[in-house]
């Protein structure tokens, strides 16, 4: 299948090529595809990914069709394959899909237009990881040897799983932390207080209540007390350390309100970089480089 489904299919060299292209686009380089049309299909809620893909398409001169699953024949039982096959038949040149099913794209074997995965269940979120890496690269100029901890609801996070794999392959020193109930042992564990003191990058995750089968064992207040990045904890971080978060953020749960936009926070820069990363992957796919 063409497009971008997971980062597992990309070499480290290709990941760096995407980041460098996104940086070039951020500096003002422009390329346009005025004859192309692409559709965004979001079967799960989204603010950042949905609209940043749309802005990326607009910046590339590509016409955008925003598929509304709630007013479509999905309600009559149409399968994901038939929806995408229909859009392909109508002359759509690529689709961007977010879906609650892990590896939904396996159902799309036979589709010839590029498919960009905007998040599949608890599986992967490739463009989120790429924008995270771009933000880290802008900060430090390299990846090798950087110490990063991903903190919080690891077990339910496609962002954590995508990042753990690619960050390890890039030579970063990757740890996870958080409550035992969210630890899926996908990376080395480090106590939260130790991570605060030692990391170059602290990546906080939203507690993903909507994915929980069982109620969280602690209250939101207890979570904040034990695992939240409070102002006092933020002040203990290394001088050049940065705070990241894929967002949406739960202010007052995993991050204190006053820390979300502090000097160390790169949360809104991550969102800005997302537009350029999405422009880069769409452009590379259309040019046969992905
Ligand atoms: N980071 C992220 O995927 O945010 P949305 O769910 O708002 O797209």
């Amino acid at each position: 299948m063409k497009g971008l489904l997971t980062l597992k299919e990309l070499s480290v060299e290709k990941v760096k090529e995407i980041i460098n292209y996104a940086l070039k686009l951020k500096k003002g380089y422009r390329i346009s595809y005025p004859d192309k049309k692409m559709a965004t299909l979001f079967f799960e809620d989204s603010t950042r990914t949905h609209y940043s893909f749309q802005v990326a398409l607009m910046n590339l001169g590509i016409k955008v069709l925003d598929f509304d699953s709630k007013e479509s024949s999905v309600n009559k039982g149409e399968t994901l394959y038939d929806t995408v096959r229909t859009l392909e038949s109508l002359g759509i040149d690529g689709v961007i899909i977010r879906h609650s099913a892990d590896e939904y794209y396996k159902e799309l074997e036979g589709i010839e237009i590029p498919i960009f995965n905007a998040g599949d269940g608890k599986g992967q979120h490739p463009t989120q990881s790429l924008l995270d890496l771009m933000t880290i690269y802008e900060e430090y100029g390299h990846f090798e040897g950087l110490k990063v901890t991903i903190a919080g609801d690891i077990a339910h996070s496609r962002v954590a799983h995508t990042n753990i794999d690619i960050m390890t392959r890039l030579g970063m020193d990757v740890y996870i932390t958080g409550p035992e109930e969210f630890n899926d042992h996908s990376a080395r564990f480090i106590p939260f207080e130790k991570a605060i003191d030692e990391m170059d990058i602290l990546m906080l995750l939203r507690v993903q209540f909507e994915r929980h089968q069982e109620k969280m064992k602690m209250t939101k207040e207890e979570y904040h007390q034990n695992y939240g990045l409070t102002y006092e904890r933020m002040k203990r971080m290394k001088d050049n350390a940065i705070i990241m978060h894929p967002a949406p953020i739960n202010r007052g749960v995993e991050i204190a309100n006053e820390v979300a936009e502090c000097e160390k926070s790169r949360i809104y820069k991550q969102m800005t970089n997302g537009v350029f990363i999405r422009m880069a992957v769409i452009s590379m796919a259309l040019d046969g480089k992905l």
Side-chain angles (χ1 to χ4, degrees):
M1 274 184 268
K2 289 185 276 189
L4 179 62
L5 302 177
T6 79
L7 287 193
K8 288 182 186 154
E9 70 210 45
L10 298 186
S11 66
V12 159
E13 290 69 33
K14 186 58 77 175
V15 166
K16 289 181 179 173
E17 188 185 329
I18 294 168
I19 292 167
N20 282 322
Y21 187 30
L23 287 166
K24 188 170 154 182
L25 289 161
K26 191 173 180 179
K27 285 191 188 124
Y29 175 76
R30 283 295 170 267
I31 186 160
S32 188
Y33 305 87
D35 298 333
K36 300 290 183 190
K37 301 177 279 297
M38 289 201 184
T40 51
L41 294 82
F42 279 70
F43 296 90
E44 259 192 358
D45 297 340
S46 167
T47 303
R48 273 143 296 279
T49 315
H50 192 162
Y51 297 105
S52 109
F53 260 115
Q54 292 201 343
V55 172
L57 291 167
M58 290 174 197
N59 289 349
L60 292 169
I62 298 170
K63 292 175 191 69
V64 184
L65 189 146
D66 196 17
F67 177 80
D68 185 349
S69 63
K70 294 183 190 74
E71 291 184 3
S72 73
S73 289
V74 169
N75 292 331
K76 303 175 201 163
E78 183 173 77
T79 64
L80 181 62
Y81 176 85
D82 278 327
T83 300
V84 177
R85 188 74 185 83
T86 300
L87 293 170
E88 185 177 44
S89 304
L90 297 178
I92 291 293
D93 299 293
V95 286
I96 292 118
I97 304 176
R98 170 172 289 187
H99 203 284
S100 58
D102 288 10
E103 300 183 326
Y104 67 79
Y105 44 81
K106 288 192 170 165
E107 198 191 313
L108 301 178
E109 206 63 57
I111 299 294
E112 291 184 6
I113 55 174
I115 300 164
F116 301 92
N117 182 6
D120 62 291
K122 297 198 293 291
Q124 288 256 316
H125 196 345
T127 56
Q128 177 68 45
S129 278
L130 288 167
L131 72 88
D132 293 341
L133 295 173
M134 177 180 173
T135 307
I136 292 167
Y137 189 73
E138 272 189 317
E139 195 71 32
Y140 293 103
H142 68 98
F143 297 108
E144 296 77 11
L146 289 174
K147 289 167 82 84
V148 57
T149 288
I150 305 176
D153 191 355
I154 307 289
H156 302 98
S157 172
R158 55 191 169 214
V159 176
H161 297 135
T162 316
N163 270 333
I164 288 165
D165 175 64
I166 186 61
M167 287 176 171
T168 304
R169 285 201 284 140
L170 284 162
M172 294 174 71
D173 203 4
V174 186
Y175 301 87
I176 55 174
T177 192
E180 180 53 34
E181 64 184 298
F182 298 149
N183 183 1
D184 63 3
H185 309 281
S186 48
R188 282 171 298 171
F189 186 86
I190 186 169
F192 185 57
E193 299 299 346
K194 193 168 157 65
I196 297 288
D197 295 327
E198 296 182 6
M199 290 301 116
D200 299 305
I201 300 136
L202 182 64
M203 181 178 288
L204 304 163
L205 298 175
R206 180 174 65 89
V207 180
Q208 293 165 82
F209 296 104
E210 78 278 10
R211 294 189 197 281
H212 293 180
Q213 304 288 335
E214 290 172 22
K215 204 168 174 291
M216 186 167 67
K217 290 196 176 92
M218 61 186 92
T219 64
K220 289 180 183 178
E221 291 72 27
E222 286 166 342
Y223 186 96
H224 189 63
Q225 209 171 11
N226 292 307
Y227 299 103
L229 187 59
T230 58
Y231 182 81
E232 294 70 31
R233 287 187 174 118
M234 180 273 288
K235 293 303 279 182
R236 279 174 31 216
M237 291 175 69
K238 293 197 315 196
D239 285 347
N240 64 347
I242 60 169
I243 301 159
M244 299 178 72
H245 192 313
I249 50 180
N250 287 320
R251 291 176 187 250
V253 184
E254 68 273 1
I255 189 162
N257 187 40
E258 64 269 36
V259 176
E261 297 180 55
C262 75
E263 205 184 318
K264 288 186 177 302
S265 170
R266 298 294 178 270
I267 297 172
Y268 291 90
K269 189 174 187 184
Q270 287 172 263
M271 295 177 204
T272 302
N273 286 345
V275 172
F276 299 106
I277 282 292
R278 287 162 182 139
M279 288 171 73
V281 294
I282 292 165
S283 171
M284 287 173 71
L286 289 174
D287 292 349
K289 294 178 185 160
L290 199 61

